[in-house]
Amino acid sequence: MTDVTSAKTVRRAHHWRRDVTELAALFTAVAVADAIANLIGHQPDGPYLLIASAVALAVTAAFHTWWARRHSHAPPPTGFDLALGDDSAAPSHRAAAAALVTTPTAAGPAPSPEDTVLWRMRTTVRDIPGSLAALCIALARHRVDILTLQTHPLAEGTVDEFLLRAPAPLQAQQLSRAISAAGGGSTWIERADTHDLVDAPTRILGLATRTALDAAELPLALRQLLGRCTIHSLPAVSITGRATGETAPVEGVLEETVMRLRDPSGGAITVERPYLPFTPTEFARARALVELDARLGPRVPRSEQVLTLPEGNEITVRRADRSDLEAARAMHDRCSEQTLRLRYHGPVRDADRYLDHLLSPRFGRTLAVQTASGRLVALGHLLWDGDETEVALLVEDDWQRRGIGSELLGRLVTLAIEAGCESVYAVTQASNTGMVAAMRSLSLPLDYQIEEGTLVITARLDATPVRSLPPYEQAGR
């Protein structure tokens, strides 16, 4: 509103100066004309010369008027005219319409940043002129500011994805009803945070960087790229060695709320989002991430850290993968049946079959502990289980009760926080006091569920005060 008032003041000042200038020019012209008339009027041909001069001036004025009207520049359209124009044109016109109609005027001044919240909203509109403008006007009435806008053309209609800054008292239900009344359908709304303020190309490049550094990041990158969804990595070969038949074409398959992508390590990656169909743009981005993973091949960060146990022995904690398979099997051979039974909850003879799956970066992250001599004595797993995340520990008998389990568990939880997980759970037996003590040492809110002797302990990570940064962001800072 201040900008409009200032513009009106400038125009009034400009008009006042122009009027004074034109009046001074008029008086000057009259004085010059009077002097010429007195000089020429007393000569024999004076009247004819005055008539010819008047005709020439009239013709010149008419030509000037015609020329000015033909070559003058039309004023730019107002925000209202642009908002009601053809929003099926270029994307820049759609963005311009959104920027103009969401300026809070009649609804009052815009709320301060302290009184607002961020929302991510996606809705489907008919691909006709004025559909986007109707949405923007509805948002403006509720003093909602559009920060970013992406459009995804479909065979029928267009999906518009917004990042909104809305007044804090405005509820999601109110916003959804307003969008529905304005012509939006299949509307999906969720709270956003400051990380969503990053523009889409920058965010996608960041996800690609994470995937390039660590193969275990691919499922997490897909989840952050596509929002709330369930991701399953289905292996081509089961734990028992049988072919599962799980595969997907090289180009992938998109079926509304389900996409299937070929896993470079074998099998298929299935992504499901029942509440919102995937767009062709999302499918292309997900496929590009999977293709990047395939080109880079197996990889895990090779950083390691040397720690000193309370008793004085030094251990090394590092990431592990399938290259540690033989060392992990040798550790199994040194573990007692009781230790293996507490870890795998099944027949001890099948324990080795799980290792190939557990050490695969496709299904999670694994931390290994080795002694100064290089012997592997403990493994900690952070496993992606659809929407949830599981933690599991195995410590060799001779190295138990030395704080290794708690150290591994704490590091696994840190990795889960960096990955954006809301919680982690551990499945063990009620008699496994070591695992229960390790979970309690996290100082996090815990939920316990006991069923037929099986204990499931869930730690809620959303209570952590500080969220760690991924390694590539830490390096950047």
Side-chain angles (χ1 to χ4, degrees):
M1 205 65 183
T2 304
D3 294 339
V4 175
T5 305
S6 301
K8 291 181 178 179
T9 304
V10 170
R11 285 198 294 270
R12 285 198 296 266
H14 174 71
H15 292 166
W16 179 82
R17 291 194 298 268
R18 186 182 64 184
D19 293 340
V20 172
T21 302
E22 291 178 353
L23 186 60
L26 176 63
F27 280 111
T28 303
V30 170
V32 172
D34 182 72
I36 294 176
N38 291 332
L39 179 63
I40 299 177
H42 295 86
Q43 298 182 9
D45 298 330
Y48 300 103
L49 291 175
L50 289 176
I51 293 174
S53 300
V55 172
L57 289 173
V59 171
T60 302
F63 176 80
H64 178 269
T65 301
W66 171 81
W67 180 267
R69 289 181 178 177
R70 181 172 181 176
H71 295 274
S72 62
H73 296 283
T78 63
F80 185 75
D81 294 336
L82 182 59
L84 297 182
D86 184 2
D87 62 285
S88 63
S92 59
H93 291 177
R94 295 168 65 88
L100 285 170
V101 300
T102 53
T103 302
T105 53
S112 63
E114 293 78 9
D115 301 329
T116 60
V117 295
L118 296 176
W119 294 95
R120 289 179 59 196
M121 183 185 73
R122 179 177 293 191
T123 188
T124 303
V125 297
R126 298 173 60 191
D127 193 10
I128 59 174
S131 58
L132 175 63
L135 296 181
C136 296
I137 292 174
L139 294 174
R141 288 171 180 162
H142 289 80
R143 297 191 301 162
V144 177
D145 186 20
I146 298 176
L147 301 181
T148 63
L149 167 63
Q150 295 185 62
T151 60
H152 306 276
L154 300 177
E156 297 180 359
T158 300
V159 175
D160 291 328
E161 186 172 354
F162 299 88
L163 179 62
L164 307 173
R165 179 185 286 121
L170 184 64
Q171 300 297 317
Q173 294 82 355
Q174 297 176 270
L175 195 55
S176 181
R177 285 195 296 267
I179 293 300
S180 178
S186 302
T187 302
W188 163 78
I189 301 176
E190 74 171 0
R191 288 289 294 270
D193 56 26
T194 54
H195 295 86
D196 294 303
L197 294 174
V198 180
D199 63 290
T202 302
R203 183 163 57 91
I204 295 172
L205 286 174
L207 296 177
T209 302
R210 292 178 57 176
T211 303
L213 292 175
D214 189 351
E217 288 285 343
L218 179 61
L220 302 175
L222 290 174
R223 183 176 296 175
Q224 294 191 18
L225 174 68
L226 303 172
R228 289 185 299 165
C229 58
T230 302
I231 299 177
H232 294 285
S233 292
L234 307 175
V237 180
S238 67
I239 294 177
T240 59
R242 295 181 180 179
T244 61
E246 296 292 348
T247 186
V250 176
E251 66 276 8
V253 177
L254 175 60
E255 299 175 348
E256 294 188 353
T257 60
V258 178
M259 67 170 70
R260 291 173 58 84
L261 305 167
R262 174 173 291 185
D263 192 331
S265 61
I269 300 174
T270 301
V271 187
E272 300 178 358
R273 190 174 63 187
Y275 62 92
L276 187 65
F278 294 110
T279 66
T281 301
E282 291 177 316
F283 178 64
R285 291 171 178 173
R287 190 172 60 184
L289 278 179
V290 175
E291 291 176 355
L292 173 65
D293 180 82
R295 288 183 176 273
L296 294 175
R299 63 210 176 277
V300 294
R302 291 301 177 184
S303 60
E304 55 184 37
Q305 187 175 5
V306 178
L307 302 176
T308 302
L309 297 177
E311 62 190 32
N313 292 326
E314 289 187 350
I315 59 172
T316 300
V317 182
R318 60 173 177 82
R319 286 286 298 277
D321 59 6
R322 283 173 169 165
S323 64
D324 297 291
L325 186 58
E326 292 301 323
R329 286 174 177 168
M331 186 185 71
H332 272 190
D333 294 338
R334 297 191 300 269
C335 289
S336 65
E337 291 188 4
Q338 176 65 15
T339 296
L340 294 177
R341 188 177 297 109
L342 290 175
R343 166 62 185 87
Y344 295 106
H345 322 292
V348 175
R349 63 179 180 273
D350 296 333
D352 288 350
R353 296 181 179 181
Y354 298 107
L355 287 176
D356 187 67
H357 174 90
L358 295 173
L359 294 173
S360 170
R362 180 63 69 244
F363 303 103
R365 294 169 173 169
T366 298
L367 295 178
V369 175
Q370 65 184 32
T371 62
S373 62
R375 172 181 288 187
L376 198 66
V377 297
L379 289 173
H381 306 284
L382 184 70
L383 303 172
W384 317 135
D385 182 18
D387 296 330
E388 300 179 327
T389 307
E390 181 184 0
V391 289
L393 301 175
L394 176 63
V395 181
E396 188 178 327
D397 294 63
D398 293 340
W399 290 84
Q400 293 178 8
R401 309 295 179 180
R402 300 188 185 186
I404 293 179
S406 297
E407 178 67 28
L408 278 179
L409 186 60
R411 290 173 178 267
L412 293 174
V413 168
T414 299
L415 292 177
I417 295 173
E418 292 175 354
C421 302
E422 297 180 356
S423 64
V424 295
Y425 72 91
V427 180
T428 185
Q429 297 181 12
S431 59
N432 191 351
T433 57
M435 188 62 181
V436 174
M439 292 292 290
R440 294 183 63 182
S441 67
L442 295 173
S443 300
L444 292 172
L446 300 178
D447 296 330
Y448 300 87
Q449 291 182 343
I450 301 178
E451 185 175 348
E452 297 181 357
T454 300
L455 174 63
V456 179
I457 309 175
T458 303
R460 299 198 306 272
L461 306 183
D462 52 3
T464 53
V466 178
R467 178 176 176 177
S468 303
L469 294 175
Y472 74 95
E473 292 186 5
Q474 294 176 356
R477 295 193 178 193

